[in-house]
Amino acid sequence: MNLARGHLFFLFWASTTSFFRLSSVISTRRSNTIRLKSWNTIGFISKITMTAAADTNNNNNGASSEPPCKKARCDSTASTERKHHAGAAEALRLAAGDHEKKYDGDIVRKRTEVEEQVIAKEHQAEEIIHALPKDSNTTVPSVELFLPEILKDSIFVGHLVTDLDSVAGAIGAAELYGGTPALASEINSETAFALEKWNVTEPKPIEDILKETPKVDICLVDHQQTSQMNPSIDSDQVVGVIDHHALQSKTIVTDKPIYIDIRPWGSMSTIIAHTFLTHKRRPPVAVAGMLLCAILSDTLNLLGPTTTDWDRLMVAVLADIAGVDDIQLLASQQFKAKSKDLAHLSAVGLVNGDQKSFSYNTEGFKGDIGFAVVETTDDDVIMDRIDEILPELVACKKEKKLQAIFLAIVNIVKLQSCLLLCGPTETSLANAAFGGEISKNGTVMDLGKRVSRKKDYIPVLTRVIKEGWTKPKNLPRGPSVADISSHLEVDPEDPYGNVKRVNDEEKSAAQEKDMATESIVEEKKDEEDYNLVIA
């Protein structure tokens, strides 16, 4: 009897220990930690989270000393591993010091947001990458993590009006879970650039795959609304959803439980990159490059309103894995490719897509000047939207606390350009620097054959400022949009997921109007119901 009791106690103890937590803690510099936590339940479901406790501001101002792992990493892989830091962070520091990048002629360009964030996350990225296997096909078997078997051999497909995030996310998910990526519609110019850049084969259309294997399982990526699904997809075939959008109307409904991974991050590709890392798997270089480009696209180079710290960290990690030595150059090249589809870009995207700011400190002028460039084969497409772009320039100038802001529209076929002028300060400085003919009620200046920001625009502005240009006093008031309270948000009605600027006062008035309309409708319905009861 006692023996039986002892045996039962042992079984009870053995079964309960399976619920104990297995923690593996990888300490990082500046209290940055990655904690892998796995709870083993009866269904063998494991959960993993990654936390990044870094203070971004502290990292931005941090010392340039190497993290503890870097010396060991370089010593052990010196003969095989490339010598560079995440997004050329070290190269940026050596060239410019803190927060600046110097050009010939003592021209100083402030770091862009994507450069700042890659440098800020460098130590975290180094620690994470150091902990990964060197081989992209290797996993670490010491911790059993949950990967949904239901997604194995599935087709991963994005939404209609396919963008880079849905394609890159499908490619990354197929690599991660063991399936096949597919296209829901034709790719855009930005996606074509990324596929060519990273030498990735364009996925097949979902229609062709379903003709070959009609009963295959499907995982939706970057969407979960039936209105965005390719019509050839049967909802009964959907076994998973990986997305970063809100659950709104027409969300897919299924008869059986499916795998769902929805996180409030700036890009679906951030989710895939994060899952690679939490499972201690190194994505192949081409996949890392695709995911990197997708995050830059969806977050407007980490400047968009949906950008999170996870997006910033994944950009730093992926830039290192993909071997990107100049993150800003990649962002600029990608934006130029995206600009071929200018009709689909919002004013926010046009103004912020390829914008850089330059710092000046002279006796007559102190402050930062923003200079954005849009390259196109048809400048009329941009000029037709000037009434939409000018207010966005003013709003951006206010938000970034710039003294002046310009947008140059460059026709890369005719090799000529024009400059948008959003206020009297811009007009004064442009007159002093370029002296071109001004048209369209003082908002557009002809720059002739000048086409390069680096060679034609900034050196001339710098020379004029150093020679004593000062901001004229008693200037007439510029556009009043700067006085209007506004914010950026993703346009829920835009199939391209563009970011738009929303006037807070107008939105509030519209919401009040909608509430009043709903109230009237409800009252009318109540009255009809009452009359029906009386009758």
Side-chain angles (χ1 to χ4, degrees):
M1 186 69 177
N2 291 334
L3 179 61
R5 287 179 178 175
H7 183 62
L8 288 173
F9 176 79
F10 173 78
L11 290 177
F12 175 78
W13 174 85
S15 64
T16 54
T17 54
S18 66
F19 291 87
F20 284 2
R21 183 175 63 187
L22 172 63
S23 294
S24 173
V25 179
I26 302 174
S27 298
T28 63
R29 191 175 178 271
R30 294 182 180 277
S31 298
N32 301 334
T33 62
I34 303 170
R35 292 183 174 90
L36 301 181
K37 303 177 180 179
S38 178
W39 291 270
N40 206 356
T41 65
I42 294 175
F44 297 100
I45 299 176
S46 301
K47 176 182 178 183
I48 183 162
T49 62
M50 172 187 284
T51 62
D55 184 336
T56 299
N57 292 329
N58 288 341
N59 278 342
N60 282 342
N61 299 322
S64 60
S65 59
E66 295 180 341
C69 74
K70 187 172 292 185
K71 186 177 187 302
R73 176 186 176 188
C74 293
D75 290 344
S76 62
T77 61
S79 60
T80 61
E81 194 160 346
R82 53 189 165 75
K83 296 180 180 179
H84 94 279
H85 299 262
E90 184 69 13
L92 281 171
R93 279 195 294 270
L94 292 174
D98 288 340
H99 309 297
E100 297 174 346
K101 187 173 182 180
K102 295 180 180 178
Y103 292 89
D104 294 338
D106 295 327
I107 297 174
V108 176
R109 172 174 73 78
K110 295 184 68 178
R111 286 179 187 161
T112 61
E113 178 67 12
V114 69
E115 288 172 330
E116 288 281 14
Q117 292 301 332
V118 165
I119 291 174
K121 304 295 182 187
E122 180 198 11
H123 294 326
Q124 285 178 270
E126 287 287 326
E127 294 287 358
I128 292 171
I129 293 168
H130 180 65
L132 294 175
K134 301 304 178 187
D135 185 353
S136 60
N137 295 319
T138 302
T139 60
V140 179
S142 58
V143 178
E144 292 295 331
L145 303 175
F146 175 66
L147 272 178
E149 287 292 327
I150 197 173
L151 297 187
K152 186 174 176 57
D153 299 325
S154 294
I155 304 300
F156 295 86
V157 60
H159 50 76
L160 293 171
V161 193
T162 297
D163 62 7
L164 179 52
D165 193 32
S166 65
V167 176
I171 292 171
E175 176 69 26
L176 175 65
Y177 295 108
T180 303
L183 297 178
S185 57
E186 292 184 6
I187 61 173
N188 58 26
S189 57
E190 182 184 36
T191 305
F193 162 80
L195 291 170
E196 182 179 357
K197 167 74 177 178
W198 300 108
N199 195 26
V200 175
T201 302
E202 181 178 325
K204 291 182 179 181
I206 184 64
E207 296 92 340
D208 294 350
I209 294 177
L210 290 176
K211 287 179 181 177
E212 299 171 1
T213 52
K215 299 301 182 181
V216 68
D217 291 335
I218 293 175
C219 179
L220 305 180
V221 301
D222 203 29
H223 72 297
Q224 24 69 22
Q225 292 179 297
T226 54
S227 58
Q228 297 181 17
M229 283 172 50
N230 184 291
S232 65
I233 298 174
D234 185 345
S235 295
D236 291 338
Q237 293 178 258
V238 175
V239 296
V241 170
I242 307 173
D243 191 20
H244 67 121
H245 295 101
L247 297 172
Q248 297 176 330
S249 61
K250 299 184 179 179
T251 296
I252 186 172
V253 176
T254 62
D255 293 332
K256 58 183 180 299
I258 64 174
Y259 175 78
I260 293 180
D261 188 353
I262 298 179
R263 312 184 201 180
W265 295 352
S267 168
M268 178 265 174
S269 292
T270 303
I271 300 173
I272 299 300
H274 179 268
T275 307
F276 264 108
L277 300 183
T278 54
H279 285 264
K280 301 197 99 176
R281 287 184 56 184
R282 177 188 292 265
V285 170
V287 172
M290 290 295 297
L291 296 174
L292 171 63
C293 286
I295 299 172
L296 292 177
S297 175
D298 256 29
T299 63
L300 290 179
N301 300 339
L302 302 181
L303 288 168
T306 61
T307 306
T308 69
D309 215 38
W310 292 113
D311 302 299
R312 300 180 185 101
L313 178 58
M314 291 304 103
V315 164
V317 171
L318 294 170
D320 196 291
I321 294 175
V324 176
D325 288 323
D326 192 333
I327 191 70
Q328 183 57 39
L329 176 61
L330 174 64
S332 297
Q333 290 173 337
Q334 185 170 313
F335 176 75
K336 290 175 183 178
K338 189 175 185 177
S339 297
K340 294 179 182 179
D341 292 330
L342 290 174
H344 306 320
L345 281 179
S346 66
V348 175
L350 291 172
V351 170
N352 290 279
D354 187 10
Q355 181 189 136
K356 297 177 181 178
S357 61
F358 300 83
S359 299
Y360 298 92
N361 187 4
T362 67
E363 289 187 7
F365 180 80
K366 292 180 176 62
D368 300 333
I369 293 177
F371 207 107
V373 175
V374 174
E375 294 185 345
T376 177
T377 58
D378 184 6
D379 43 3
D380 288 339
V381 174
I382 304 297
M383 297 306 296
D384 289 343
R385 300 174 60 187
I386 190 170
D387 291 338
E388 177 187 359
I389 297 172
L390 287 173
E392 179 57 35
L393 282 169
V394 178
C396 181
K397 175 181 176 181
K398 178 186 178 183
E399 285 182 349
K400 296 184 178 180
K401 299 180 180 179
L402 302 172
Q403 295 299 311
I405 187 170
F406 297 98
L407 173 64
I409 302 171
V410 179
N411 189 309
I412 57 178
V413 176
K414 298 178 181 179
L415 293 180
Q416 61 187 34
S417 67
C418 62
L419 192 67
L420 299 191
L421 308 173
C422 66
T425 299
E426 287 76 11
T427 301
S428 173
L429 181 54
N431 271 324
F434 308 115
E437 182 180 348
I438 296 179
S439 60
K440 293 189 179 295
N441 297 320
T443 59
V444 180
M445 174 179 282
D446 182 10
L447 295 181
K449 294 297 183 180
R450 299 182 180 93
V451 294
S452 170
R453 174 170 49 198
K454 184 176 180 180
K455 295 181 179 179
D456 298 327
Y457 305 147
I458 299 304
V460 179
L461 288 175
T462 302
R463 175 178 55 79
V464 167
I465 290 173
K466 286 186 174 182
E467 288 178 353
W469 178 86
T470 59
K471 186 176 179 178
K473 298 179 180 180
N474 301 321
L475 285 172
R477 185 172 176 79
S480 59
V481 72
D483 296 330
I484 299 175
S485 177
S486 64
H487 68 277
L488 300 178
E489 65 178 37
V490 177
D491 187 349
E493 299 180 357
D494 187 346
Y496 299 93
N498 274 311
V499 173
K500 67 176 182 178
R501 184 171 297 281
V502 178
N503 184 319
D504 292 337
E505 294 179 1
E506 291 179 358
K507 183 173 183 178
S508 178
Q511 289 175 339
E512 290 179 1
K513 183 178 179 181
D514 290 341
M515 291 176 63
T517 302
E518 290 178 3
S519 178
I520 293 173
V521 170
E522 288 295 328
E523 289 179 3
K524 185 176 180 180
K525 185 177 182 300
D526 291 342
E527 182 178 348
E528 291 175 350
D529 292 342
Y530 175 77
N531 292 334
L532 183 62
V533 171
I534 295 299

